[in-house]
Amino acid sequence: MEIGATKAVQGRIKKTELETTGDTSLVFCWDTHLVKLKGRNVLLIVNASNRYAIAMTDIEVRNWNYYTLYIERVIRGIMQSMGYTPEQIQQYFKMSGEMVVTKTHGRKSVGGINRIVTCMEYYDKKLEKNTKYQWKLCEYLNGDICQPEGFDAYGYPPELFRLDMERIGLLPKRKPAKVIDLQAYKESTQ
């Protein structure tokens, strides 16, 4: 698994050399960015393939020292809250390989993070106190329709995350929806 770090995050983790991004599937790549919102530091953890965003606050110094372990725990916790079984989560991390800190995963991924930061400026609710996961902020950010790197159509990040999990085989593929051809329907009823 590749954890991309922006310059703001690199300053916190004090990592002098970052790995170069490899040929890892974007499903297993997460980019991180640190931003201020309402006077508090917010760590954004964004999937490079589907732009699913996680917003964290109150990051302690020890969490920066064990950055990859912290990110892994956060992603595991979010996947569990989304309804994935422990076996599915374990399989995801097994498929993703060893965790390495890299540079961010391309212009489109960084553009998605910039879009998220812009959306955060319009977030009018208060951040929850004494809470690491900012659930309401995450819901707000993941409610923004987008067309991230891993997709050729627009969608909402939670749905795109699910499609990614179907693509890699963690979830069974759903049957396609039946689409009614309106023109053929009109002709057959006349």
Side-chain angles (χ1 to χ4, degrees):
M1 179 177 289
E2 293 182 3
I3 307 298
T6 61
K7 297 265 186 215
V9 172
Q10 289 174 27
R12 290 293 178 112
I13 60 175
K14 298 177 179 94
K15 187 130 175 134
T16 55
E17 257 185 67
L18 298 177
E19 305 272 337
T20 55
T21 55
D23 59 350
T24 305
S25 172
L26 289 178
V27 176
F28 305 113
C29 298
W30 295 78
D31 287 330
T32 57
H33 183 57
L34 188 64
V35 64
K36 276 255 195 240
L37 178 66
K38 302 185 188 226
R40 292 176 69 187
N41 285 331
V42 177
L43 177 66
L44 293 173
I45 306 166
V46 182
N47 188 279
S49 174
N50 51 55
R51 213 181 93 182
Y52 187 84
I54 304 168
M56 304 292 294
T57 54
D58 301 332
I59 292 97
E60 299 167 9
V61 175
R62 69 172 182 229
N63 293 337
W64 293 111
N65 293 336
Y66 301 101
Y67 184 66
T68 55
L69 292 173
Y70 178 74
I71 298 298
E72 179 181 343
R73 279 199 334 245
V74 168
I75 295 169
R76 283 181 185 274
I78 288 296
M79 288 181 74
Q80 187 176 13
S81 73
M82 293 169 79
Y84 293 95
T85 66
E87 294 79 23
Q88 289 170 323
I89 296 169
Q90 187 60 34
Q91 183 64 26
Y92 174 79
F93 279 92
K94 185 177 177 185
M95 292 169 73
S96 68
E98 182 183 346
M99 288 190 107
V100 292
V101 179
T102 65
K103 294 181 178 180
T104 54
H105 294 90
R107 291 157 83 182
K108 192 153 186 175
S109 179
V110 172
I113 291 173
N114 290 336
R115 169 78 179 152
I116 290 170
V117 171
T118 302
C119 288
M120 286 175 65
E121 293 174 9
Y122 296 101
Y123 185 68
D124 60 349
K125 296 182 173 82
K126 289 185 177 182
L127 295 175
E128 299 172 39
K129 291 186 179 187
N130 303 320
T131 303
K132 291 194 183 299
Y133 291 106
Q134 294 295 327
W135 296 107
K136 290 178 183 172
L137 178 58
C138 289
E139 280 181 19
Y140 177 76
L141 296 175
N142 289 317
D144 185 35
I145 196 164
C146 62
Q147 183 189 4
E149 184 77 26
F151 294 88
D152 57 356
Y154 285 88
Y156 293 102
E159 181 60 26
L160 298 175
F161 188 87
R162 179 179 171 76
L163 289 172
D164 270 342
M165 295 304 110
E166 288 176 10
R167 258 194 261 180
I168 63 173
L170 282 184
L171 294 175
K173 293 193 183 224
R174 294 175 282 185
K175 294 179 184 175
K178 291 184 179 180
V179 179
I180 298 172
D181 183 0
L182 192 56
Q183 187 64 31
Y185 177 75
K186 284 182 180 178
E187 290 173 4
S188 69
T189 58
Q190 292 178 351

